[in-house]
C-alpha cells in the first residue's frame, strides 16, 4: 500500500541445487541409511540450505528422491516442478555418471558447455551433485561410483516455454545454476542465455546472427534475412550484453532489430533498453527531425507518435534513428571483425528503416 515499504523479493533455488539435494537423499537411501528429510547441501558460495523431500522411494537396486523447486519470487517457468534423482550403483572406478530421465533434455548441437549427446545437466550442477554425494559418502563410508539420473516430470512441455529448442537441447529442460540460488528478476540468467545462443550459432558455422528486442521484430528480421532459428538471439533489452560478448566472440554479420522506442533509446546511447534505465528523449528525436517538425515532435505523446508526426511531414525520422543507433552499437563492437546492421520495425512488423550492413571500425 502507499506509504508502506515493500518486502524484499524472496530468493529461490535453481534446478541444479534441487537436483543435488535430491541426489544426496537418494544416495543416502541407496547405501542403507534413512532418507534425510530435510536434506542439506553445500552451494558453491558456501551456503548450506536444506530441502524438504516431496518423494522418496526404494526399489530393486535403486532409490529415488524428489524435491519441488521453489524459485522464490522469480517468474521462473520451472517454479513448482518436481526435480527427481534416481541413483543406482555404477561400476567401480567410474565415479559419478549422469543420465537424462523424463523431462530433462539432451544436447544435440555443438557450442554448449556439454558435448553433443550428453544429458543437459550443466557443469556446475554436476559438480554440486558430485560433492553432495561425496559428503554423504563420507558420513556413511559408502562408495561413490554411482549413476545419477535426473528427471522433471512434465519437463518436455515446460521446455517449450524456454530457448532450449533453439539451442539444440531436445526432450526437456536443462539442469541449470551457477550459484544454486535464484535471484528474482535477475538480468544474469537472461544475459547468460544470450551468450549460449551466440555460442551455438558460432558452433553451427552461422555467419549472420540477429538480436531482437521482442517477438514481433524477431519474426520480421527472420523473414527479412531468411535466417534459421539458430541465428536468432532473444536479446530483449540487453543489447549491450549481446554486443559486448560478440566483440570477443565475433561473427561476420550482426543485425540488431527492434521497434521505434527501443531503437530510439539505443540511438540515444543506451546499452540497456529497459524502461528503468531510461526513457525516449523527445528532444533527441526533435533534433534529428529539425525544421518546423521539431516543435511538434517535442510535444508528442510517445516515440510512435513522434514517428507519425515525422511521416506526415515527409521526414524519414527512422533513417536518422537507425544511423544513430548504429553508431552506439558499433562502439560496443569496436575492434570486432564484423559488419553491423540496424533494422527498425513498426508494431506490425513492417519495415521502417535499415542501415544496411557496414563494417565496424577498429
Amino acid at each position: 500500500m502507499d506509504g508502506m515499504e515493500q518486502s524484499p523479493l524472496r530468493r529461490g533455488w535453481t534446478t541444479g541445487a534441487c537436483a543435488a539435494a535430491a541426489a544426496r537423499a537418494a544416495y543416502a537411501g541407496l547405501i542403507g541409511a534413512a532418507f534425510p528429510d530435510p536434506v542439506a547441501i553445500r552451494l558453491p558460495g558456501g551456503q548450506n540450505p536444506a530441502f524438504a523431500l516431496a518423494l522418496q522411494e526404494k526399489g530393486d537396486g535403486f532409490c529415488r528422491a524428489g524435491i519441488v523447486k521453489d524459485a522464490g519470487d522469480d517468474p521462473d517457468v520451472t517454479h513448482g516442478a518436481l526435480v527427481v534423482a534416481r541413483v543406482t550403483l555404477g561400476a567401480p572406478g567410474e565415479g559419478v555418471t549422469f543420465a537424462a530421465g523424463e523431462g530433462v533434455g539432451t544436447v544435440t548441437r555443438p557450442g554448449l558447455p556439454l558435448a553433443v549427446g550428453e544429458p543437459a545437466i550443466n557443469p556446475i550442477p554436476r559438480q554440486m551433485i558430485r560433492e553432495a554425494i561425496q559428503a554423504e559418502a563420507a558420513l556413511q563410508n559408502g562408495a561413490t561410483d554411482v549413476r545419477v539420473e535426473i528427471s522433471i516430470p512434465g519437463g518436455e512441455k515446460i521446455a517449450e516455454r524456454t530457448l532450449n529448442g533453439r539451442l539444440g537441447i531436445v526432450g526437456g529442460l536443462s539442469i541449470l545454476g551457477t550459484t544454486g540460488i535464484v535471484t528474482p528478476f535477475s538480468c544474469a540468467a537472461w544475459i547468460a542465455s544470450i551468450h549460449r545462443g551466440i555460442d551455438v550459432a558460432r558452433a553451427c558455422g552461422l555467419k549472420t546472427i540477429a538480436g531482437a528486442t521482442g517477438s514481433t521484430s524477431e519474426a520480421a528480421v527472420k523473414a527479412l534475412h531468411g535466417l534459421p532459428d539458430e541465428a536468432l538471439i532473444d536479446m530483449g533489452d540487453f543489447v549491450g550484453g549481446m554486443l559486448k560478448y560478440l566483440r570477443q566472440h565475433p561473427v561476420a554479420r550482426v543485425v540488431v532489430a527492434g521497434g521505434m522506442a527501443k531503437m530510439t533509446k539505443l540511438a540515444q546511447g543506451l546499452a540497456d533498453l529497459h524502461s528503468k534505465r531510461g526513457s525516449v528523449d523527445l528532444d533527441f528525436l526533435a533534433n534529428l527531425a529539425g525544421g518546423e517538425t521539431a516543435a511538434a515532435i517535442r510535444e508528442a505523446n510517445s516515440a510512435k507518435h513522434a514517428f507519425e508526426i515525422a511521416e506526415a511531414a515527409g521526414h524519414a525520422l527512422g533513417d536518422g534513428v537507425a544511423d544513430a543507433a548504429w553508431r552506439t552499437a558499433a562502439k560496443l563492437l569496436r575492434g570486432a571483425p564484423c559488419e553491423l546492421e540496424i533494422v527498425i520495425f513498426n508494431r506490425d512488423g513492417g519495415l521502417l528503416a535499415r542501415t544496411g550492413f557496414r563494417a565496424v571500425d577498429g
Side-chain angles (χ1 to χ4, degrees), residues 144-160:
T144 56
D145 299 307
V146 293
R147 180 179 185 269
V148 178
E149 179 188 275
I150 303 298
S151 61
I152 301 178
E156 187 167 6
K157 185 68 176 177
I158 298 171
E160 294 174 2

Side-chain angles (χ1 to χ4, degrees), residues 191-278:
I191 292 174
S193 73
I194 290 171
H195 294 176
R196 297 297 78 76
I198 293 169
D199 291 343
V200 168
R202 282 165 47 88
C204 289
L206 298 180
K207 303 302 181 185
T208 302
I209 68 166
T213 57
S215 58
T216 298
S217 53
E218 180 178 89
V221 77
K222 177 182 180 180
L224 179 66
H225 285 294
L227 297 172
D229 284 345
E230 295 83 359
L232 303 174
I233 308 299
D234 187 10
M235 176 185 73
D237 293 324
F238 303 112
V239 61
M242 183 184 79
L243 295 178
K244 289 174 184 177
Y245 193 74
L246 282 166
R247 184 174 180 176
Q248 302 300 322
H249 306 83
V251 295
R253 287 186 155 192
V254 178
V255 187
V256 176
M260 294 168 277
K262 299 286 188 183
M263 291 300 96
T264 296
K265 291 180 185 180
L266 181 61
Q268 292 167 201
L270 298 177
D272 182 339
L273 308 182
H274 194 279
S275 58
K276 291 182 179 179
R277 303 293 183 264

Side-chain angles (χ1 to χ4, degrees), residues 78-307:
T78 57
H79 176 71
L82 179 66
V83 181
V84 180
R86 184 181 189 273
V87 179
T88 56
L89 291 177
E94 279 190 339
V96 179
T97 59
F98 298 91
E102 176 194 355
V104 172
T106 299
V107 176
T108 65
R109 292 186 192 135
L112 295 172
L114 297 166
V116 171
E118 281 289 311
I121 304 169
N122 273 19
I124 291 180
R126 290 184 184 220
Q127 186 59 31
M128 290 169 62
I129 291 169
R130 289 189 194 98
E131 291 177 358
I133 287 173
Q134 289 163 359
E136 188 65 28
L139 292 177
Q140 306 295 338
N141 194 29
T144 56
D145 299 307
V146 293
R147 180 179 185 269
V148 178
E149 179 188 275
I150 303 298
S151 61
I152 301 178
E156 187 167 6
K157 185 68 176 177
I158 298 171
E160 294 174 2
R161 298 159 60 191
T162 73
L163 295 176
N164 275 16
R166 188 173 293 176
L167 296 175
I169 298 170
V170 300
L173 293 159
S174 303
I175 304 301
L176 301 172
T178 55
T179 65
I181 299 170
V182 174
T183 302
F185 301 94
S186 169
C187 301
W190 195 321
I191 292 174
S193 73
I194 290 171
H195 294 176
R196 297 297 78 76
I198 293 169
D199 291 343
V200 168
R202 282 165 47 88
C204 289
L206 298 180
K207 303 302 181 185
T208 302
I209 68 166
T213 57
S215 58
T216 298
S217 53
E218 180 178 89
V221 77
K222 177 182 180 180
L224 179 66
H225 285 294
L227 297 172
D229 284 345
E230 295 83 359
L232 303 174
I233 308 299
D234 187 10
M235 176 185 73
D237 293 324
F238 303 112
V239 61
M242 183 184 79
L243 295 178
K244 289 174 184 177
Y245 193 74
L246 282 166
R247 184 174 180 176
Q248 302 300 322
H249 306 83
V251 295
R253 287 186 155 192
V254 178
V255 187
V256 176
M260 294 168 277
K262 299 286 188 183
M263 291 300 96
T264 296
K265 291 180 185 180
L266 181 61
Q268 292 167 201
L270 298 177
D272 182 339
L273 308 182
H274 194 279
S275 58
K276 291 182 179 179
R277 303 293 183 264
S279 58
V280 169
D281 184 346
L282 293 173
D283 283 336
F284 172 82
L285 290 176
N287 291 336
L288 279 180
E292 297 179 0
T293 310
I297 288 177
R298 285 190 175 90
E299 300 300 319
N301 298 320
S302 63
K304 179 176 180 291
H305 189 201
F307 272 71

